[in-house]
Every structure is written in structure tokens, then in C-alpha cells.
Coordinates of all heavy atoms in Angstrom, one line a residue:
E401 N 0.9 -1.2 0.0 CA 0.0 0.0 0.1 C 0.9 1.3 0.0 O 0.7 2.2 -0.7 CB -1.0 0.0 1.3 CG -1.9 1.2 1.2 CD -2.9 1.1 2.4 OE1 -2.9 0.1 3.1 OE2 -3.6 2.1 2.6
T402 N 1.9 1.3 0.8 CA 2.8 2.4 0.9 C 3.6 2.6 -0.4 O 3.8 3.7 -0.9 CB 3.8 2.3 2.0 OG1 3.0 2.1 3.2 CG2 4.7 3.5 2.2
R403 N 4.0 1.4 -1.0 CA 4.8 1.5 -2.2 C 3.9 2.1 -3.3 O 4.3 2.9 -4.2 CB 5.2 0.0 -2.6 CG 6.1 0.0 -3.8 CD 6.7 -1.4 -4.0 NE 5.7 -2.5 -4.2 CZ 5.4 -3.4 -3.4 NH1 6.0 -3.4 -2.1 NH2 4.5 -4.4 -3.6
D404 N 2.7 1.7 -3.4 CA 1.8 2.2 -4.5 C 1.4 3.7 -4.3 O 1.4 4.5 -5.3 CB 0.4 1.4 -4.5 CG 0.6 0.0 -5.0 OD1 1.7 -0.3 -5.6 OD2 -0.3 -0.8 -4.7
Y405 N 1.3 4.1 -3.0 CA 1.1 5.5 -2.7 C 2.3 6.3 -3.1 O 2.1 7.4 -3.6 CB 0.8 5.6 -1.1 CG 0.7 6.9 -0.7 CD1 -0.4 7.8 -1.1 CD2 1.4 7.5 0.4 CE1 -0.6 9.1 -0.6 CE2 1.3 8.7 0.9 CZ 0.3 9.5 0.4 OH 0.1 10.8 1.0
L406 N 3.5 5.8 -2.8 CA 4.7 6.5 -3.1 C 4.8 6.6 -4.6 O 5.1 7.7 -5.2 CB 5.9 5.9 -2.6 CG 6.2 5.9 -1.0 CD1 7.2 4.9 -0.6 CD2 6.7 7.4 -0.7
A407 N 4.7 5.5 -5.3 CA 4.8 5.6 -6.8 C 3.8 6.5 -7.5 O 4.1 7.3 -8.4 CB 4.7 4.1 -7.3
S408 N 2.5 6.5 -7.0 CA 1.5 7.3 -7.5 C 1.8 8.7 -7.3 O 1.7 9.7 -8.3 CB 0.2 6.9 -6.9 OG -0.8 7.8 -7.4
G409 N 2.3 9.1 -6.1 CA 2.5 10.6 -5.8 C 3.7 11.0 -6.5 O 3.6 12.2 -7.0
L410 N 4.7 10.3 -6.6 CA 5.9 10.7 -7.4 C 5.7 10.9 -8.9 O 6.1 11.8 -9.5 CB 7.1 9.7 -7.1 CG 7.7 9.9 -5.7 CD1 8.4 8.6 -5.3 CD2 8.6 11.1 -5.6
R411 N 4.9 9.9 -9.4 CA 4.6 10.0 -10.9 C 3.7 11.2 -11.1 O 3.9 11.9 -12.1 CB 3.9 8.7 -11.3 CG 4.8 7.5 -11.4 CD 4.1 6.2 -11.8 NE 5.0 5.1 -11.9 CZ 4.8 3.9 -11.4 NH1 3.6 3.6 -10.7 NH2 5.7 3.0 -11.5
A412 N 2.8 11.5 -10.3 CA 1.9 12.6 -10.5 C 2.7 14.0 -10.4 O 2.4 15.0 -11.0 CB 0.8 12.7 -9.3
A413 N 3.9 13.9 -9.7 CA 4.8 15.1 -9.6 C 5.7 15.1 -10.8 O 6.6 16.1 -10.8 CB 5.6 15.0 -8.3
G414 N 5.7 14.1 -11.7 CA 6.5 14.2 -12.8 C 7.8 13.3 -12.9 O 8.6 13.4 -13.8
Y415 N 7.9 12.5 -11.9 CA 9.1 11.6 -11.9 C 8.8 10.3 -12.6 O 7.6 9.8 -12.6 CB 9.5 11.3 -10.4 CG 9.9 12.4 -9.6 CD1 9.0 13.3 -8.9 CD2 11.3 12.8 -9.5 CE1 9.4 14.3 -8.2 CE2 11.7 13.8 -8.8 CZ 10.8 14.6 -8.1 OH 11.2 15.7 -7.4
A416 N 9.8 9.7 -13.2 CA 9.8 8.4 -13.7 C 10.1 7.4 -12.6 O 11.2 7.5 -12.1 CB 10.7 8.2 -14.9
V417 N 9.1 6.6 -12.2 CA 9.3 5.8 -11.0 C 9.4 4.3 -11.3 O 8.6 3.8 -12.1 CB 8.2 6.1 -10.0 CG1 8.3 5.2 -8.8 CG2 8.1 7.5 -9.7
V418 N 10.3 3.6 -10.7 CA 10.4 2.1 -10.6 C 10.2 1.8 -9.1 O 10.9 2.3 -8.3 CB 11.7 1.6 -11.2 CG1 11.7 0.1 -11.0 CG2 11.7 1.9 -12.8
A419 N 9.4 0.8 -8.8 CA 9.2 0.5 -7.4 C 9.6 -1.0 -7.2 O 9.1 -1.9 -8.0 CB 7.8 0.7 -7.0
E420 N 10.3 -1.3 -6.2 CA 10.6 -2.7 -5.8 C 10.3 -3.0 -4.4 O 10.1 -2.0 -3.6 CB 12.1 -2.9 -6.0 CG 12.7 -2.8 -7.5 CD 12.1 -4.0 -8.4 OE1 11.4 -5.0 -7.8 OE2 12.2 -4.0 -9.6
H421 N 10.2 -4.3 -4.0 CA 9.6 -4.6 -2.7 C 10.6 -5.1 -1.7 O 10.2 -5.4 -0.6 CB 8.4 -5.7 -3.0 CG 9.0 -7.0 -3.4 ND1 9.4 -7.2 -4.8 CD2 9.1 -8.1 -2.8 CE1 9.8 -8.4 -4.9 NE2 9.7 -9.1 -3.7
N422 N 11.8 -5.5 -2.1 CA 12.8 -6.0 -1.2 C 14.1 -5.5 -1.5 O 14.5 -5.0 -2.6 CB 12.7 -7.5 -1.0 CG 13.0 -8.3 -2.3 OD1 13.8 -7.8 -3.1 ND2 12.3 -9.4 -2.4
S423 N 15.2 -5.8 -0.7 CA 16.5 -5.4 -0.8 C 17.2 -6.0 -2.1 O 18.0 -5.4 -2.7 CB 17.4 -5.6 0.4 OG 17.4 -6.9 0.8
E424 N 16.9 -7.3 -2.3 CA 17.5 -8.0 -3.4 C 17.1 -7.4 -4.7 O 17.9 -7.1 -5.6 CB 17.2 -9.5 -3.4 CG 17.9 -10.3 -2.3 CD 17.3 -10.2 -1.0 OE1 16.2 -9.5 -0.9 OE2 17.8 -10.7 0.1
A425 N 15.8 -7.2 -4.9 CA 15.4 -6.6 -6.1 C 15.8 -5.2 -6.3 O 16.2 -4.6 -7.4 CB 13.8 -6.6 -6.2
G426 N 15.8 -4.4 -5.2 CA 16.3 -3.0 -5.2 C 17.8 -3.0 -5.5 O 18.2 -2.1 -6.3
A427 N 18.7 -3.9 -5.0 CA 20.0 -3.9 -5.3 C 20.3 -4.1 -6.8 O 21.1 -3.6 -7.4 CB 20.7 -5.0 -4.5
R428 N 19.5 -5.0 -7.4 CA 19.6 -5.3 -8.9 C 19.2 -3.9 -9.7 O 20.0 -3.6 -10.6 CB 18.7 -6.4 -9.3 CG 19.2 -7.8 -8.7 CD 18.4 -8.9 -9.6 NE 17.1 -8.9 -9.3 CZ 16.5 -9.5 -8.2 NH1 17.3 -10.3 -7.4 NH2 15.2 -9.5 -8.1
R429 N 18.2 -3.3 -9.3 CA 17.8 -2.1 -9.9 C 18.9 -1.0 -9.8 O 19.1 -0.3 -10.8 CB 16.5 -1.6 -9.3 CG 15.2 -2.4 -9.7 CD 14.8 -2.2 -11.2 NE 13.6 -2.9 -11.4 CZ 13.0 -3.0 -12.6 NH1 13.6 -2.4 -13.6 NH2 11.8 -3.5 -12.8
L430 N 19.5 -0.9 -8.7 CA 20.5 0.1 -8.5 C 21.7 -0.1 -9.5 O 22.3 0.9 -9.9 CB 21.0 0.0 -7.0 CG 20.1 0.6 -6.0 CD1 20.5 0.2 -4.6 CD2 20.0 2.1 -6.1
L431 N 22.0 -1.3 -9.8 CA 23.1 -1.6 -10.7 C 22.6 -1.5 -12.2 O 23.6 -1.4 -13.1 CB 23.7 -3.0 -10.4 CG 24.3 -3.2 -9.1 CD1 24.7 -4.6 -8.9 CD2 25.6 -2.3 -8.9
E432 N 21.4 -1.5 -12.5 CA 20.9 -1.6 -13.8 C 20.8 -0.2 -14.6 O 20.8 -0.1 -15.7 CB 19.5 -2.2 -13.9 CG 19.6 -3.8 -13.6 CD 18.2 -4.3 -13.5 OE1 17.2 -3.6 -13.6 OE2 18.1 -5.5 -13.4
A433 N 20.7 0.8 -13.7 CA 20.5 2.2 -14.3 C 21.0 3.3 -13.5 O 21.5 3.0 -12.3 CB 18.9 2.4 -14.4
R434 N 20.9 4.5 -14.0 CA 21.3 5.7 -13.3 C 20.1 6.3 -12.7 O 19.2 6.6 -13.3 CB 22.0 6.6 -14.2 CG 22.5 8.0 -13.6 CD 22.9 9.0 -14.5 NE 23.1 10.3 -13.9 CZ 22.2 11.2 -13.7 NH1 20.9 10.9 -14.1 NH2 22.5 12.3 -13.2
W435 N 20.2 6.5 -11.4 CA 19.0 7.1 -10.7 C 19.3 8.5 -10.1 O 20.4 8.8 -9.7 CB 18.6 6.2 -9.5 CG 18.3 4.8 -9.9 CD1 19.2 3.7 -9.9 CD2 17.1 4.3 -10.5 NE1 18.6 2.6 -10.4 CE2 17.3 2.9 -10.8 CE3 15.9 4.9 -10.8 CZ2 16.3 2.2 -11.5 CZ3 14.9 4.2 -11.5 CH2 15.1 2.8 -11.8

């Protein structure tokens, strides 16, 4: 619920958002792109 709320609010503010649910998936995303 919090993840969806964050993603929705940030997108509405004009950010391109990718959301992940745990540290392993987050760690992979961090290495895949420039944030």
C-alpha cells in the first residue's frame, strides 16, 4: 500500500518511477540504471 502510494504521488509530480519490494530486487535495480 505504501509502495503504491509513493509511486503514484511521485509519478503525479513528474518523476519516472520504478518500485521494488525488497533489498535484493532493489540492489539489482540500483546496478541496472542511473537514478
